[in-house]
Amino acid sequence: MDVKVDTAQFKLDGATYELNVRHGTIGPSVVDISGLYRDAKIFTYDPGYTATASCESKITYIDGDEGVLLYRGYPIEQLAEHGSFLETCYVLLYGDLPNNAQRKEFESAITYHTMLHEQMSRFFSGFRRDAHPMAVMVGVVGALSAFYHDSTDINDPQQREIASRRMIAKLPTIAAMAYKYHIGQPFVYPRNDLDYASNFLHMCFAVPCEEYKANPVLARAMDRIFILHADHEQNASTSTVRLAGSSGANPFACIAAGIACLWGPAHGGANEAALTMLEEIGTPDRIPEFVERAKDKNDPFRLMGFGHRVYKNYDPRAKIMQKAAHEVLGELGINDDPLLDVARELEKVALNDEYFIEKRLYPNIDFYSGITLRALGFPTSMFTVLFALARTVGWIAQWKEMIEDPSQKIGRPRQLYTGPVAREYLPSSKRI
Ligand code: CMC
């Protein structure tokens, strides 16, 4: 598709510079400032990249004002309702929904790559049992590059493809192993007769001493949760993956970098923090106290699972997640979850509070995901791991897009330097 180009003018010290304005298919246009330093010897300044498009992409589109999320043009609601996670992976990686033959080939390739090199299982025992599973994920995913040498050459399309499929296939195995190690149970091998989500639940919750059969309603909810987390445009972890990849680092190292970034409480760690917060609130009568704290400028406390850099409307994923929470609780016969009561009431209070209205703070995906994941049987420490597992496909799709872009170059931001100007080194005898 052709991208329409206009120009904008930039004036500085009496000189006028012509800058290209580029238009995408939807969403805000961008002013191309890539030649600005060369021509005008000035940088632009945008801490936190609040007004900076770091790349051109055809993968995911978000309209934060309207609460819209599209993967390759397909609305998240439709993918979550009618699609599967592996189909979503295909869409993100290859651009369109697969036909039957493509779907079968892809599903089979993923299914037959789920086992991990046996020697890698020894890595886990090097970690303390009380290690956070995200710490284990960062280490073990990075270590894949020490085992799969035949898929680390980023200049070979075939190797890029194998690395991509390997990671989508092996992340659930690694995540389940991190969990099993954490709770002191034996690892459970993947099973090729199960679908992606059922296999993951099986690896997490089966034990050698008894039969385990994944509940199809819970497996479907798990699959849907993976779909909701699969990609989200140029967020912090995705930008980390792109930046790491721009230097030519191997794909496993890049995804490990993404996992490390995702861990933070302002990003993927918010699902864990949101549930901890709901537990701390405990009962609806304590909500006003916490809402007041969130509004107090002198208190660092924030309502976790609220607010988003891009969404200034209800996060479309939060609505689907809320539905999934009801489905899971209903299936498990949990008619009365006190945390769900607290969450619903907190949402109501915040959405009617002037502070949250004025700042356009709405529940994000993490607000209801903790309740759902806890009901599925996961401890809070695993929440961000599940996010990482699902986001891996998004990171890979974005990484591949970057590598395959002929105009790609190493990511190298500049700065506004405010430190000391050049000064002489003083021998220690002359320092006061
Ligand atoms: N509770 C109370 N106040 C908030 C909150 C919140 N959750 N979020 C933002 N604000 C206030 C903030 O204090 C600021 O006020 P002021 O303009 O008076 O200084 C204003 O709203 C704008 O906040 P910001 O931090 O400048 O906005 P941002 O776009 O940099 O931050 C955010 C976005 C998601 C980091 C932030 O909303 C937040 O910390 N939320 C809680 C953590 C969370 O739920 N994160 C998950 C995000 S969704 C999943 C993911 O992407 O990983």
Side-chain angles (χ1 to χ4, degrees), residues 163-411:
S164 305
R165 292 179 170 210
R166 273 194 174 132
M167 278 190 278
I168 295 167
K170 293 184 199 310
L171 254 288
T173 313
I174 296 173
M177 287 169 86
Y179 173 57
K180 287 297 198 188
Y181 183 74
H182 191 52
I183 58 171
Q185 288 186 3
F187 297 140
V188 174
Y189 284 97
R191 266 190 34 195
N192 292 352
D193 59 324
L194 298 177
D195 62 74
Y196 194 83
S198 304
N199 177 48
F200 177 62
L201 293 177
H202 177 260
M203 289 190 291
C204 287
F205 300 123
V207 284
C209 38
E210 61 184 47
E211 190 67 24
Y212 173 85
K213 195 171 172 330
N215 175 325
V217 175
L218 303 188
R220 176 70 188 125
M222 187 78 261
D223 199 66
R224 202 171 270 156
I225 291 169
F226 291 157
I227 295 173
L228 296 182
H229 287 90
D231 195 42
H232 213 228
E233 208 225 56
Q234 308 310 321
N235 55 80
S237 57
T238 302
S239 298
T240 301
V241 170
R242 278 188 178 256
L243 203 53
S246 78
S247 73
N250 75 66
F252 305 111
C254 295
I255 301 305
I259 296 174
C261 177
L262 185 75
W263 194 359
H267 193 6
N271 51 17
E272 185 175 340
L275 194 82
T276 308
M277 176 193 76
L278 292 175
E279 282 169 345
E280 204 187 328
I281 298 175
T283 48
D285 58 300
R286 296 193 62 205
I287 288 172
E289 177 197 328
F290 282 82
V291 169
E292 282 317 306
R293 281 187 60 197
K295 289 158 49 174
D296 182 353
K297 280 261 154 272
N298 300 316
D299 189 330
F301 174 77
R302 284 184 169 200
L303 281 192
M304 299 315 283
F306 254 83
H308 197 274
R309 170 61 62 80
V310 183
Y311 294 118
K312 302 302 170 198
N313 199 330
Y314 213 100
D315 179 342
R317 303 167 302 169
K319 282 192 195 135
I320 306 168
M321 187 59 85
Q322 191 186 27
K323 202 169 142 220
H326 285 290
E327 272 168 21
V328 168
L329 294 176
E331 177 65 17
L332 294 172
I334 307 171
N335 301 318
D336 191 20
D337 181 345
L339 287 197
L340 189 59
D341 293 343
V342 172
R344 278 212 214 95
E345 186 58 23
L346 178 57
E347 177 184 340
K348 209 160 77 190
V349 172
L351 290 181
N352 287 300
D353 188 292
E354 208 35 59
Y355 173 94
F356 290 88
I357 295 171
E358 193 225 315
K359 295 188 189 306
R360 302 175 74 192
L361 300 168
Y362 291 84
N364 60 50
I365 187 170
D366 293 322
F367 194 64
Y368 285 104
S369 65
I371 292 174
T372 321
L373 296 174
R374 191 183 66 140
L376 283 171
F378 292 102
T380 44
S381 58
M382 277 297 286
F383 292 179
T384 316
V385 171
L386 301 176
F387 192 158
L389 186 174
R391 183 56 58 83
T392 294
V393 64
W395 290 329
I396 291 169
Q398 302 268 353
W399 170 80
K400 277 182 83 189
E401 183 178 64
M402 180 198 62
I403 298 288
E404 286 159 18
D405 177 354
S407 66
Q408 186 266 325
K409 48 175 83 158
I410 187 166

Side-chain angles (χ1 to χ4, degrees), residues 113 115-118 120 143-153 159 162-163 166 170 252:
H113 277 94
M115 267 179 75
L116 208 56
H117 192 296
E118 190 59 20
M120 285 202 81
L144 288 171
S145 45
F147 280 83
Y148 298 99
H149 301 299
D150 59 346
S151 49
T152 52
D153 179 359
Q159 293 206 21
I162 297 171
R166 273 194 174 132
K170 293 184 199 310
F252 305 111

